[in-house]
Amino acid sequence: MKRIYLLSLIAVLFLGITGCGDDFLEVQPTEFLSEEQVAEAAENNPDVVAGSVSGIYTLMFETGTGGSDLDHDDFGQKGYDVFSDFLCSDMALSVSTYGWYRRTTEYTTTTDYTSVTNYRAWRYYYRLIRSANTVISALGGNDVIPENEENKHLMGQAKALRAYCYFYLSQFYALEYEPSKEILPIYTDPTQPNQPKSTTADVFALMESDLTQAIDLLETFTRSAKNEVDQNVAKGLLSYVYATMGGDKLSAAKTLTEDIINNGGFTLMDSTEVVYMGDASVGGFRDVNTPGWIWGVDITLDNGLDLVSWWGQMDVFTYSYQWAGDRKAIDQDLYDAIPADDVRKGQFYGDPSSGYYLIPLGKFYTSAREIGGQRNVETDYLYMRVAEMYLLNAEVSAKLGQEDAAKESLKAVVSHRRPDASYIDGLSGQALLDEIYLQTRIELWGEGKSYLAMKRNKATIVRGSNHLSLVGEPIPYNDPRLTFEIPIQEIQNNPYVDSGNK
């Protein structure tokens, strides 16, 4: 039976303090329960702190958490996964009837610091940071290791969640990993006043510290559901942080990904799970209990998601924009790069005469597979799966010059997708790195990870023919159009910050 995730009292208060409409868009992302309120509640009822952490997990998929009332692309982490797939152009807006994401695909929202869309990610991640800081403070503060085992686990989750937020902010609001570049304000306490921008090195040092501590604090934690951050999730997040930093951190990323692969208890999704093969009860990337999923959330009808959701934007079998006329398709050139004998070719509808051309009919689908049929969403959200760890391990191994290890990890994935993966044995040097990057883009299409890979691999993107704009234009990973501006709301409210992040 699915577990029902309802807003805790704390989460309700988090959301209830802020209003709607224009005023909601104007406030700073600091208007949550005070440290004193949570600490007092925790003293009288220890379950309140646990409820606070649960509330953070709810904010990750709740609608409107980016500050809108209610834009249909504002629905938590999966919303930013869609934004990032569009920014790196592996996802093409091939038909635009209602206009959602159109300006983002044209790179006008990312270059306009007054755009509400430009503000959305900033608002969302700093809201979660403020919530995590409140929990950390209630448990004693950043330098405290709680004595109580349950509180250790709560502290570990809060620190991992804070790092997760800073990681995505560093990707969306900075061109690349430049240690001395000032990029983001750091907040580690809910009572801090406005802060100036810190350097990339300092932001990443905080992520590293938080995640390293989280891994230790979660050593004995057994989660009750996959929406919770456990030690494997924290290790996965730290792997991404280290892979982004590069250099002498690559070895640590390799060790962490190997640990998850060998000891996490997850299995790669096989060919029947990643593509529709005639049995709609299998696959569809819709069930959090899939053994290959590391982190995700069990969505139920009680969560109240409908059109405004990831499924409402992406899935033709949901009452959705994908069905009704805002088509999200795989980039034509990326589709063409998938070999005919690769089962993942079947994830996308290949009839050029169809209005559904190259949309993921065979990757993301509900069990009923009725066009427009799922009106109220009860299919799950995916945040991280073990295939990412194999591909990330292959990438960092290749960058370390450990090509045999890189090939082994890459072949582990490709062997589940093609009849013969032996061609990988003949690759080396840049050709091997290019193949790992290509396989990452193919395997993780639509899951919000291609943008991260583009930045790590310093790639230049060229849009295929099914995009509505900028077709054929080479766009390097550090083109300012691919990252958001620090929003005007932050500049107006924080005298120490300007828009010079690019």
Side-chain angles (χ1 to χ4, degrees), residues 334-481:
L334 181 57
Y335 176 76
D336 292 343
I338 305 174
D341 65 354
D342 191 320
V343 296
R344 294 170 298 186
K345 195 95 171 178
Q347 292 177 335
F348 307 96
Y349 195 63
D351 181 2
S353 65
S354 169
Y356 293 151
Y357 182 52
L358 298 190
I359 71 171
L361 280 167
K363 181 170 186 179
F364 305 122
Y365 53 87
T366 62
S367 57
R369 285 186 67 88
E370 175 188 348
I371 300 296
Q374 180 180 224
R375 186 63 179 86
N376 301 106
V377 174
E378 54 182 329
T379 40
D380 298 339
Y381 277 178
L382 168 64
Y383 297 146
M384 182 189 293
R385 59 187 175 104
V386 76
E388 300 171 38
M389 299 298 108
Y390 280 90
L391 292 163
L392 196 59
N393 181 271
E395 179 186 313
V396 298
S397 296
K399 289 177 179 177
L400 287 165
Q402 299 174 22
E403 294 193 344
D404 288 343
K407 293 175 187 178
E408 181 180 356
S409 291
L410 182 60
K411 287 172 69 176
V413 175
V414 176
S415 63
H416 284 283
R417 313 293 178 244
R418 299 184 64 184
D420 185 3
S422 61
Y423 75 94
I424 293 171
D425 293 329
L427 300 176
S428 63
Q430 190 60 48
L432 177 58
L433 282 166
D434 289 345
E435 182 65 16
I436 294 167
Y437 178 50
L438 174 62
Q439 292 300 326
T440 299
R441 296 168 64 201
I442 295 170
E443 178 69 20
L444 303 178
W445 186 91
E447 299 176 42
K449 302 299 166 64
S450 295
Y451 180 77
L452 309 178
M454 176 197 70
K455 289 199 165 189
R456 288 195 311 272
N457 290 281
K458 303 183 186 300
T460 295
I461 58 179
V462 180
R463 289 184 174 180
S465 58
N466 60 332
H467 290 260
L468 299 178
S469 58
L470 305 172
V471 172
E473 177 184 337
I475 305 172
Y477 73 99
N478 57 358
D479 188 307
R481 293 175 294 177

Side-chain angles (χ1 to χ4, degrees), residues 64-302:
T65 49
S68 72
D69 180 37
L70 176 66
D71 288 350
H72 290 192
D73 53 2
D74 185 359
F75 44 85
Q77 177 57 45
K78 296 304 294 180
Y80 304 108
D81 288 348
V82 178
F83 276 113
S84 68
D85 279 340
F86 274 131
L87 289 176
C88 72
S89 298
D90 279 357
M91 185 181 291
L93 185 65
S94 60
V95 178
S96 178
T97 302
Y98 298 93
W100 294 109
Y101 302 101
R102 181 68 179 265
R103 292 185 65 223
T104 296
T105 65
E106 295 170 346
Y107 298 142
T108 56
T109 57
T110 53
T111 54
D112 178 6
Y113 79 137
T114 68
S115 165
V116 171
T117 301
N118 186 80
Y119 177 46
R120 191 159 295 146
W122 187 275
R123 170 72 171 175
Y124 167 76
Y125 289 110
Y126 273 113
R127 288 189 79 183
L128 267 65
I129 287 168
R130 179 68 169 82
S131 303
N133 283 340
T134 302
V135 170
I136 292 166
S137 180
L139 292 170
N142 289 285
D143 299 326
V144 169
I145 298 176
E147 295 183 6
N148 178 279
E149 198 75 3
E150 181 180 358
N151 286 345
K152 284 183 182 179
H153 300 159
L154 293 169
M155 179 73 87
Q157 291 173 75
K159 288 197 170 182
L161 288 164
R162 183 169 68 183
Y164 140 78
C165 293
Y166 277 116
F167 177 70
Y168 274 96
L169 284 167
S170 75
Q171 300 304 288
F172 280 123
Y173 289 94
L175 292 178
E176 56 187 313
Y177 182 77
E178 299 176 277
S180 62
K181 184 79 176 265
E182 294 179 347
I183 56 169
L184 298 168
I186 289 177
Y187 296 95
T188 57
D189 188 283
T191 63
Q192 279 178 281
N194 288 323
Q195 295 295 303
K197 288 188 290 187
S198 292
T199 65
T200 303
D202 286 341
V203 174
F204 273 76
L206 174 62
M207 295 182 221
E208 181 179 13
S209 174
D210 275 353
L211 289 167
T212 301
Q213 291 177 52
I215 290 168
D216 289 340
L217 290 164
L218 296 171
E219 176 70 33
T220 60
F221 177 56
T222 301
R223 60 186 176 181
S224 59
K226 279 189 181 178
N227 75 305
E228 298 172 340
V229 172
D230 67 359
Q231 199 177 54
N232 285 308
V233 175
K235 289 176 181 177
L237 292 170
L238 186 54
S239 299
Y240 274 112
V241 170
Y242 283 150
T244 301
M245 297 172 76
D248 61 0
K249 298 296 184 181
L250 293 175
S251 294
K254 184 175 185 293
T255 299
L256 285 166
T257 51
E258 285 175 350
D259 185 30
I260 296 170
I261 290 167
N262 295 328
N263 304 311
F266 307 101
T267 57
L268 281 165
M269 295 174 72
D270 63 25
S271 59
T272 65
E273 293 177 294
V274 300
V275 64
Y276 175 66
M277 291 186 171
D279 183 356
S281 66
V282 179
F285 287 79
R286 66 177 185 275
D287 187 354
V288 75
N289 295 310
T290 302
W293 289 26
I294 297 175
W295 191 24
V297 59
D298 185 2
I299 300 295
T300 74
L301 293 177
D302 299 88

